[in-house]
Amino acid sequence: MSIAQTFTVTVAGGKYYIDGVQQDTVMIGAGLTYKFDQSDGTNSNHPLRFSTNDNNSPSAPYTTGVTTSGVPGNAGAYTQIEVAAG
C-alpha cells in the first residue's frame, strides 16, 4: 500500500484546516490510500473521524479501511483511510 497523498491537519477556533484551508473538502479516489497527518499540537483533543453524512448529522461513522496511529497533537500521529476499489 502506497500513500496517494498526505494532508496536513491543523485546528484553530474549533475548526479543522486541511493543508491550511478551513474545513476543506477533500476529494479521494477508489483504490487509493490517504494519510491525514495530525502531529501538529493544535490537534490535541481533536480526533479526526469520517462520516457517511454531511456534518455527521445524524451520527454515521465511516470506519471501513480507516486506521489511526498515535495521539492527535503528538509527533507521528495520523489518521489514514484506504478507500476500497469499486
Side-chain angles (χ1 to χ4, degrees):
M1 157 205 55
S2 65
I3 305 296
Q5 187 169 355
T6 298
F7 300 99
T8 301
V9 180
T10 54
V11 180
K15 306 279 184 177
Y16 285 100
Y17 286 74
I18 307 295
D19 290 341
V21 178
Q22 180 181 328
Q23 294 186 263
D24 197 15
T25 297
V26 177
M27 301 303 289
I28 57 178
L32 300 172
T33 301
Y34 299 89
K35 186 174 186 177
F36 294 83
D37 178 355
Q38 291 190 271
S39 59
D40 188 86
T42 60
N43 285 279
S44 182
N45 296 314
H46 292 90
L48 181 66
R49 302 289 185 257
F50 298 98
S51 175
T52 59
N53 294 334
D54 290 345
N55 297 317
N56 197 36
S57 182
S59 179
Y62 184 85
T63 58
T64 303
V66 177
T67 58
T68 59
S69 179
V71 176
N74 292 286
Y78 66 86
T79 298
Q80 185 169 291
I81 184 169
E82 185 174 351
V83 182

